Amino acid sequence: MKKMDLSKARVLTGVKPTEAPHVGNYIGAIRPAIELAAQAAESYLFIADYHALNIIRDAKELKDYTYLVAASWLALGLDPSRTVFYRQSDIPEIFEITTILSAVTPKGLMNRAHAYKAATDKNKEAGKTGNDVDLGINMGLYTYPILMAADILAPRGTVVPVGKDQIQHVEMTRDIAGSFNHLFGDVLALPDFYVQESTGLLPGIDGQKMSKSYGNHVPVFMDSKQRRKLVMKIVTDSKQPDEPKDPDDSIIYQLYCHFATDAEKAEMRRGFEEGGMGYGDAKKLLFEAIERDLEEPSKLYNELLADRPKIDKWLEEGAEKARETAQKTLHDMRHVIGLS
Ligand code: TRP
């Protein structure tokens, strides 16, 4: 991937408030996004609550997850005085822009979206045919890429850090914005996606990719005793402490690399390679390194969760800033399409 000049970029990304972050999210998405925000000229991060509505159908749950996700990002280092931090639902312009973009978006483009295709494929596998392949799929899922395009285009995000699964959505945003500009004039800024390269695959406690759906995840914020139990459950082979082991083959070492200092990493590596480092001791070191990394964030997280008005204040200030640009974008769009 080409090196991107971030000194002029407006980095923008959204997070669905649908689950508590686990260590895989933290290492693979949250930490790099916060680092990127610090390098970029400007950064925007929002809670994609209207996207969550496709999944969550309970008022309390949606509210709780919104605060939980906001508190998580703030606790893990998001600086709301640097990053414009807001709720999607506080920016009404996004939804009017969605309506406008819908008029220039081919239905066939939505048919090709991965999330929609995955849902219809599942129905087909279950034996559904004809109109029934759309069983249980709502329009929110179907038109998801248009709303996501509006999320990006309204505040004029130029660089969108995403996981690989979201690249297609950013490409669709470019397609949709390109159609609009082609029809009405150069109003919308076309964004680039940005995939962080370094992190690779983060294993869960069973060695598969860490994912809530596999049940092998370690939540970022949890009771220390519970976390210790999870770390101790990490799957290993049956090599004895004094036997040499390949560190690159070990889930413990792979996780340790993201939390330990260079000297600590080298020490565990040597212990594995030369023999003398047992799995039990390695797990203990891993647990301690995770605890050290998350000690301060955990405190902050609990304080923030107990003070929702404080979170609200930041989100409202962020929304005010994001709306300034969104209003301007919407104004320009309305003008070129012939609405006053
Ligand atoms: N679709 C993203 C996800 O599922 C979340 C999201 C919504 C987003 N709108 C966005 C990400 C705009 C980047 C830009 O993770």
Side-chain angles (χ1 to χ4, degrees):
M1 158 131 223
K2 64 179 191 282
K3 210 78 211 115
M4 225 172 247
D5 177 13
L6 293 170
S7 66
K8 291 190 192 73
R10 176 171 288 179
V11 172
L12 176 145
T13 197
V15 193
K16 282 200 304 262
T18 52
E19 55 185 39
H22 57 64
V23 164
N25 304 133
Y26 169 44
I27 299 300
I30 302 176
R31 195 148 84 178
I34 289 173
E35 280 165 14
L36 200 68
Q39 291 163 35
E42 293 177 288
S43 59
Y44 282 54
L45 186 104
F46 69 94
I47 314 265
D49 44 7
Y50 265 119
H51 286 285
L53 189 59
N54 289 318
I55 299 161
I56 297 183
R57 308 306 176 92
D58 178 280
K60 182 175 180 301
E61 209 180 319
L62 184 60
K63 204 172 232 134
D64 287 350
Y65 272 124
T66 297
Y67 286 111
L68 185 152
V69 166
S72 301
W73 279 77
L74 290 164
L76 292 170
L78 183 92
D79 176 358
S81 69
R82 248 201 80 90
T83 295
V84 181
F85 184 45
Y86 55 99
R87 285 187 187 89
Q88 179 192 32
S89 59
D90 283 341
I91 318 292
E93 290 76 16
I94 289 175
F95 310 103
E96 191 169 341
I97 290 174
T98 302
T99 299
I100 300 175
L101 295 177
S102 297
V104 302
T105 303
K107 178 168 173 283
L109 188 69
M110 298 299 97
N111 291 341
R112 290 195 292 277
H114 295 323
Y116 172 66
K117 272 182 69 183
T120 53
D121 285 349
K122 214 166 147 196
N123 281 337
K124 285 179 198 159
E125 272 162 34
K128 307 287 183 229
T129 53
N131 289 339
D132 283 351
V133 301
D134 281 327
L135 211 70
I137 300 173
N138 61 47
M139 287 302 289
L141 174 76
Y142 189 58
T143 60
Y144 189 106
I146 311 178
L147 181 56
M148 182 154 158
D151 291 334
I152 298 168
L153 299 169
R156 298 184 177 279
T158 60
V159 173
V160 184
V162 285
K164 287 208 175 72
D165 61 318
Q166 297 292 320
I167 292 175
Q168 189 199 35
H169 286 148
V170 183
E171 285 173 338
M172 287 184 167
T173 300
R174 292 178 65 94
D175 287 346
I176 295 169
S179 303
F180 184 90
N181 286 352
H182 180 71
L183 287 164
F184 298 109
D186 244 348
V187 169
L188 300 173
L190 268 51
D192 287 305
F193 62 83
Y194 181 92
V195 181
Q196 216 82 12
E197 301 149 55
S198 59
T199 41
L201 210 80
L202 199 98
I205 59 171
D206 62 356
Q208 293 186 83
K209 176 182 175 223
M210 190 181 292
S211 160
K212 196 178 165 204
S213 54
Y214 297 152
N216 64 359
H217 61 299
V218 180
V220 174
F221 298 111
M222 73 187 305
D223 177 71
S224 286
K225 278 205 200 100
Q226 300 292 338
R227 178 148 49 222
R228 185 187 200 98
K229 270 195 198 148
L230 274 181
V231 170
M232 292 302 159
K233 274 205 230 157
I234 290 175
V235 174
T236 61
D237 56 30
S238 54
K239 287 204 178 83
Q240 294 302 307
D242 52 355
E243 281 181 70
K245 309 164 185 70
D246 181 0
D248 299 317
D249 226 24
S250 158
I251 306 168
I252 307 168
Y253 181 73
Q254 284 172 48
L255 290 169
Y256 193 59
C257 281
H258 295 286
F259 293 95
T261 64
D262 287 344
E264 289 168 337
K265 275 185 246 175
E267 205 177 317
M268 184 179 287
R269 209 180 165 85
R270 196 169 344 105
F272 271 152
E273 280 171 350
E274 292 171 4
M277 172 73 71
Y279 289 128
D281 288 338
K283 286 178 183 177
K284 198 160 160 275
L285 289 172
L286 171 61
F287 169 72
E288 282 163 8
I290 298 178
E291 284 295 293
R292 181 181 63 197
D293 191 75
L294 293 178
E295 190 182 344
E296 275 307 307
S298 298
K299 262 192 230 151
L300 199 55
Y301 174 77
N302 289 325
E303 278 167 30
L304 283 165
L305 272 190
D307 191 357
R308 288 187 174 190
K310 190 166 178 177
I311 298 179
D312 283 329
K313 194 176 146 277
W314 275 326
L315 290 172
E316 280 156 24
E317 280 172 16
E320 229 171 274
K321 278 191 215 143
R323 277 197 83 182
E324 276 173 34
T325 317
Q327 279 167 347
K328 167 116 185 26
T329 306
L330 177 59
H331 175 273
D332 292 351
M333 290 175 84
R334 288 182 58 123
H335 178 75
V336 294
I337 62 180
L339 296 169
S340 53

